[in-house]
Amino acid sequence: MPPVDFTEFFYLAPEILLAGAGLLLLLIGTLGGGIGGGNRLASVFTLLSLGLTAIALLLVGQSLAWERKLILADTFVLDGFSFYWKMLLLMATGFTVFLSYRFIEEGRYRATEYYSLLLLATAGMMFMASGYSLLTIWIGLETMALASYILAGYFKREVRSNEAALKYFILGALSSGILLYGISLLYGATGTVQLATLAERLPAAASGEMGNLVVLGWILLAAGLFFKVSAVPFHIWTPDVYVGAPTPITAWLAVASKGASFAILVRILYEGLWPLAVDWQWIVAIVASASMIWGNLAALTQDNVKRMLAYSSIAHAGYVLLGVLAVSRVGLWSVIFYMLAYTFITLGAFGTVILLERREYAGEVASDYAGLSKRAPLLAAMMLFFMLALTGIPPTGGFVGKVYLFAAAVQAGWTWVAVIGVLTSAVSLYYYFRLVVFMYLKDSTSVTPVPLQARALVAIITICALATLVLGILPGPFIAFAQQSIDATHLLQP
């Protein structure tokens, strides 16, 4: 038996810390009925846990001089790519805590279970970002998914929330089964689930007697991954789950869950399935095109704002897949940059929905935004800015991100897919600005004031709006950071 390398526990400190904090919070909530019985202390504990995890992550990165390192028998990788996604996931979860405070307070839901599930799901996402074995990735994915199913149904007294959780669980379990079946077929064909070894053995397996097994395996694996990023035709869970789940969880699923899923999608395609790039590029191109077309067309008829944003997220999954499709350095860092911009834009937009909510599910129909420019001019202006960013209009981070994604696809020879992206972005202008018309041109019949006294929520929306503006005006430092995160990795093979 080889000796235990205790330095690996140091490298795993961020994940251990976050998972331990989640379990501790759950235990305290079970035994003591909540931390002091208060939402405030539970949320503060959660934010402190996220902050300490971020500090531990920085210490680990500095100890490695931000160079690539494999641990746990080459099943867990530490590199710039994983560090970037982990920081993004921690930030998104931290923002979600601020978005959740008012929901927990007014809905009288137990805070400790809610925040512990957020921490445990984020720990699973961090394992996903560093997974270098298909089984390690799958275990992290299931850790995230199981917590997400419960969080989607956290409105226990609401039928729609229960339906959302049930649908998410059934379809999520089906997709996980498909994903695991694909992994088992690839293991049967190559005898490994470690990504680097898989890439070495795939060419021989694909050209030999195991060729059909390899094809079926990677197709099933890709199908499971496309479900997680809510790409067409594996998107059917998205609208109902986004509408039924508590709005803070909807926002979290749209950015954190999607971000972690794109992290493993890129890792698996670029490292494990690199020898089959010519084959899977066509699948990605078709899925990206279908996602952009259907996501935007379906959003045109939606009156429910959360459902509209759900179909919008399907379309944006298609835009991000343009960068994945390119299989180039520009495509890779454009994916990373766009997901950063998309995180701020989406959290800000959903934050506005949360601020307008009354009785838990109000504030989600377009007519609820009528006259918002008069009731809350600053809030209406920020929502307008988020709609501009989602459309891809300057000067926003959404515009810069889309330009680079489209440019990467054109540079790689996938011009027809980029053209579809440009045309569908133009279509999206209609349904995004339908909300703007209600805010600025329709008179409101509501006399309910906008609760701007929710300072933490207003602060998060403002931060998101400012970040979206900065990413559009001064993208250079953030692009450089995204480029540095893929240096010293093996994501782009020679």
Side-chain angles (χ1 to χ4, degrees):
M1 181 177 179
V4 177
D5 185 1
F6 288 100
T7 60
E8 293 191 347
F9 288 100
F10 169 73
Y11 297 136
L12 289 170
E15 288 78 9
I16 293 173
L17 176 60
L18 197 62
L23 292 173
L24 178 61
L25 190 58
L26 183 62
L27 181 63
I28 293 174
T30 302
L31 298 180
I35 299 179
N39 175 31
R40 182 183 298 274
L41 288 176
S43 60
V44 169
F45 179 88
T46 304
L47 292 171
L48 284 175
S49 301
L50 292 168
L52 291 174
T53 302
I55 293 172
L57 190 61
L58 291 174
L59 291 175
V60 170
Q62 289 177 351
S63 70
L64 295 172
W66 306 104
E67 294 295 327
R68 176 185 172 96
K69 183 177 180 62
L70 291 172
I71 61 173
L72 299 180
D74 294 346
T75 63
F76 196 88
V77 63
L78 298 166
D79 57 8
F81 183 76
S82 64
F83 286 127
Y84 183 98
W85 285 106
K86 288 176 185 180
M87 292 301 294
L88 183 62
L89 294 170
L90 291 172
M91 181 191 70
T93 304
F95 278 29
T96 304
V97 173
F98 284 105
L99 297 182
S100 302
Y101 185 82
R102 180 169 167 259
F103 145 70
I104 292 288
E105 196 75 21
E106 295 183 357
R108 297 177 181 269
Y109 291 101
R110 290 177 64 89
T112 50
E113 287 88 343
Y114 178 87
Y115 292 123
S116 67
L117 288 169
L118 271 180
L119 292 177
L120 292 172
T122 306
M125 293 177 187
M126 292 177 70
F127 271 101
M128 289 167 63
S130 279
Y132 205 64
S133 160
L134 293 177
L135 285 182
T136 305
I137 291 172
W138 187 79
I139 291 171
L141 181 63
E142 287 306 293
T143 303
M144 175 197 77
L146 290 173
S148 300
Y149 302 150
I150 302 171
L151 288 169
Y154 218 76
F155 273 163
K156 292 176 285 188
R157 297 182 290 272
E158 296 288 339
V159 174
R160 274 195 294 174
S161 186
N162 294 326
E163 290 178 353
L166 186 61
K167 177 173 285 190
Y168 195 16
F169 171 71
I170 293 173
L171 295 177
L174 177 63
S175 74
S176 295
I178 292 172
L179 183 67
L180 191 59
Y181 190 38
I183 292 173
S184 68
L185 292 179
L186 288 175
Y187 176 76
T190 63
T192 184
V193 290
Q194 204 263 358
L195 295 183
T197 311
L198 182 66
E200 291 174 2
R201 298 181 183 178
L202 268 180
S207 59
E209 296 179 355
M210 297 292 185
N212 292 334
L213 204 62
V214 169
V215 172
L216 183 58
W218 75 256
I219 288 177
L220 290 176
L221 179 61
L225 294 173
F226 288 141
F227 175 92
K228 301 304 179 184
V229 301
S230 63
V232 174
F234 310 99
H235 67 287
I236 54 176
W237 62 275
T238 310
D240 289 338
V241 172
Y242 276 37
V243 170
T247 308
I249 297 303
T250 302
W252 179 76
L253 290 173
V255 294
S257 178
K258 190 184 290 287
S261 299
F262 268 113
I264 62 171
L265 177 69
V266 169
R267 179 82 72 183
I268 291 173
L269 293 182
Y270 277 46
E271 295 208 51
L273 301 182
W274 175 268
L276 306 177
V278 175
D279 299 318
W280 59 251
Q281 274 182 296
W282 277 102
I283 299 295
V284 173
I286 293 169
V287 170
S289 302
S291 299
M292 291 184 290
I293 293 170
W294 177 245
N296 284 296
L297 291 180
L300 289 174
T301 61
Q302 304 304 320
D303 185 58
N304 185 292
V305 176
K306 288 173 68 175
R307 187 173 288 272
M308 180 269 284
L309 290 173
Y311 281 110
S312 167
S313 77
I314 295 170
H316 282 275
Y319 299 137
V320 177
L321 285 173
L322 286 175
V324 178
L325 171 65
V327 191
S328 66
R329 190 169 188 271
V330 175
L332 186 54
W333 64 251
S334 65
V335 167
I336 297 172
F337 175 82
Y338 190 76
M339 284 306 300
L340 174 64
Y342 182 75
T343 296
F344 286 116
I345 298 165
T346 304
L347 287 174
F350 276 111
T352 306
V353 175
I354 294 169
L355 197 60
L356 294 176
E357 281 184 332
R358 303 178 304 279
R359 299 182 306 279
E360 297 176 346
Y361 271 120
E364 60 179 34
V365 181
S367 58
D368 291 331
Y369 294 77
L372 186 61
S373 61
K374 297 177 182 176
R375 291 186 287 152
L378 180 60
L379 187 64
M382 288 191 288
M383 191 61 168
L384 167 61
F385 195 64
F386 295 133
M387 295 299 102
L388 290 172
L390 288 171
T391 307
I393 296 176
T396 65
F399 167 75
V400 175
K402 279 188 178 181
V403 166
Y404 284 116
L405 287 172
F406 296 156
V410 171
Q411 189 180 64
W414 297 95
T415 305
W416 64 273
V417 188
V419 169
I420 291 175
V422 173
L423 294 177
T424 53
S425 291
V427 171
S428 70
L429 185 66
Y430 173 82
Y431 61 82
Y432 287 133
F433 271 72
R434 182 169 178 264
L435 200 60
V436 175
V437 168
F438 272 97
M439 290 192 299
Y440 284 90
L441 300 179
K442 301 285 186 180
D443 292 326
S444 173
T445 57
S446 173
V447 295
T448 304
V450 178
L452 295 178
Q453 68 272 16
R455 287 178 237 172
L457 189 51
V458 174
I460 289 298
I461 297 171
T462 305
I463 291 171
C464 289
L466 291 174
T468 302
L469 179 61
V470 171
L471 288 168
I473 296 176
L474 298 170
F478 302 96
I479 291 174
F481 186 53
Q483 291 171 340
Q484 290 172 6
S485 72
I486 60 175
D487 293 335
T489 70
H490 294 174
L491 287 169
L492 293 171
Q493 303 292 332

